[in-house]
Amino acid sequence: MKLAAVDIGSNAIRFQVSTVLDSAGKGTLKKLEYIRFPLRLGHDVFSTGRISDKSIAKFIKLMRAFKLLLELYEVTDYMFCATSAMRESDNGADVVKRVYEELGLTIDVIDGNREAELINKAIASYLVDKTYLHIDVGGGSTELNLYVQGKKTKTRSFKIGSVRVLENTDSPVIWENMQSWVVESLKSKPGRVTAVGTGGNISKIFELAKQRPGKTITLRKIKSVQSLIESHSIDDRIYKLQMNPDRADVIVPAGKIYVKVMEWAKASSMLVPEVGLKDGMMLYLYELNTRQTKLFS
């Protein structure tokens, strides 16, 4: 069985194909193909409220390319999910309809709660019976999830993301709301809080920190790497720090979000499992195709 997931984010679009290896009745997903295409839909939407004609043309071409890959890999099942930029755009529904009419591909425009639910599938195996605050920073939104003794107790999505902060379309009121939510949610929780960070930017910070996989990174180290990145120009981030151009400009505002949330939560360390929405989509598809889950309501 081969499965495919497409994460249509605000800063980039990710495509992955995995094959299911069945060993002793336990399925393991092995990645066959991964593509990250830098189409920043959030640039249009967060400044004008619409996806531009130029971006739509590129988007249709990209979806056509992905459809060909689905056919070439003979994928059993697939899932396309679009997040904040698509769901907030005035013409997002028209774009989704056009993709279906021209290519026969269905794009699910998911809300913040469903996005968090899918990401949580990907991180669940990394958590033990402690208190965790999961922070997922995208281009247009930040999803926060509180886990206590292995169970998710609270979740909230905020319209604060790396692209919004970069382009100054974030709202001070929403920052205040996010701080209040974090402080209130953790007020009565005993013990130390460990942050869990997902998203491409925190994964890059983790890589630059030269941390060993599976180990946590301290807040102090994250701030140190942030200072290192900020000391480099955009060009130097690309050529010296080996960042993609569309990562080089958003990594600083994204880092600011992670740091702020950790400070509010009084979390001194963060686990970075290096998984995200597409990984949760893959697990959902696997469970669905092996009759281990139900369709979303």
Side-chain angles (χ1 to χ4, degrees):
M1 179 166 58
K2 294 176 186 174
L3 305 172
V6 179
D7 169 10
I8 302 168
S10 301
N11 188 51
I13 299 174
R14 297 168 178 83
F15 171 93
Q16 183 169 316
V17 176
S18 295
T19 187
V20 178
L21 304 177
D22 194 359
S23 176
K26 183 178 180 181
T28 301
L29 293 168
K30 184 179 185 300
K31 183 166 63 178
L32 296 177
E33 180 71 78
Y34 175 70
I35 297 168
R36 179 183 183 277
F37 190 84
L39 181 55
R40 186 172 286 177
L41 298 178
H43 171 73
D44 298 337
V45 176
F46 304 144
S47 57
T48 69
R50 296 177 59 82
I51 302 172
S52 69
D53 291 343
K54 181 179 179 181
S55 293
I56 291 173
K58 278 190 174 183
F59 183 77
I60 297 296
K61 286 182 180 178
L62 187 60
M63 294 302 105
R64 184 172 285 111
F66 288 164
K67 181 180 181 181
L68 288 172
L69 286 171
L70 294 177
E71 293 171 356
L72 288 168
Y73 275 105
E74 299 179 335
V75 166
T76 308
D77 200 1
Y78 64 85
M79 188 175 188
F80 286 56
C81 285
T83 55
S84 58
M86 189 70 77
R87 68 179 173 247
E88 292 181 34
S89 61
D90 293 339
N91 58 344
D94 294 333
V95 174
V96 169
K97 182 180 179 182
R98 181 176 167 186
V99 169
Y100 180 76
E101 289 177 346
E102 293 186 15
L103 303 173
L105 298 174
T106 299
I107 297 174
D108 293 318
V109 182
I110 59 175
D111 62 21
N113 289 334
R114 189 167 292 183
E115 183 176 353
E117 183 178 348
L118 286 165
I119 297 170
N120 290 341
K121 284 184 177 290
I123 69 168
S125 63
Y126 295 89
L127 308 184
V128 295
D129 290 343
K130 293 167 59 177
T131 299
Y132 294 96
L133 181 61
H134 172 219
I135 311 163
D136 181 73
V137 178
S141 64
T142 294
E143 273 63 53
L144 300 181
N145 302 281
L146 181 63
Y147 285 84
V148 179
Q149 297 298 308
K151 294 182 179 180
K152 186 172 71 172
T153 60
K154 285 191 174 184
T155 183
R156 182 81 177 269
S157 178
F158 295 89
K159 289 184 180 180
I160 295 174
S162 59
V163 177
R164 285 191 204 269
V165 177
L166 176 70
E167 301 189 349
N168 298 310
T169 58
D170 54 321
S171 164
V173 173
I174 297 180
W175 277 99
E176 292 170 7
N177 290 343
M178 186 160 68
Q179 180 179 6
S180 296
W181 187 90
V182 172
V183 173
E184 287 298 318
S185 297
L186 292 170
K187 185 179 290 184
S188 60
K189 299 299 179 292
R192 185 172 296 177
V193 177
T194 301
V196 180
T198 54
N201 290 297
I202 195 63
S203 292
K204 187 62 179 180
I205 290 170
F206 190 82
E207 177 190 322
L208 290 171
K210 295 180 170 57
Q211 298 293 112
R212 290 170 54 194
K215 299 295 182 181
T216 58
I217 181 172
T218 64
L219 176 57
R220 179 180 295 181
K221 188 65 175 179
I222 292 173
K223 289 180 176 180
S224 174
V225 174
Q226 275 284 97
S227 296
L228 170 69
I229 295 169
E230 289 186 65
S231 71
H232 287 71
S233 66
I234 296 293
D235 284 345
D236 283 347
R237 292 175 199 174
I238 295 168
Y239 296 108
K240 291 185 178 180
L241 301 182
Q242 297 294 294
M243 294 185 192
N244 292 326
D246 67 317
R247 173 82 64 219
D249 57 353
V250 296
I251 193 168
V252 169
K256 175 185 175 182
I257 299 170
Y258 289 109
V259 166
K260 283 293 184 184
V261 175
M262 288 182 73
E263 288 177 340
W264 297 333
K266 297 180 181 178
S268 60
S269 63
M270 173 183 278
L271 177 67
V272 184
E274 298 194 71
V275 295
L277 177 59
K278 62 178 175 53
D279 302 284
M281 292 162 66
M282 284 289 186
L283 288 170
Y284 172 75
L285 284 171
Y286 171 73
E287 293 169 359
L288 186 63
N289 281 273
T290 54
R291 301 178 184 274
Q292 295 180 38
T293 192
K294 295 179 181 179
L295 284 167
F296 284 124
S297 58

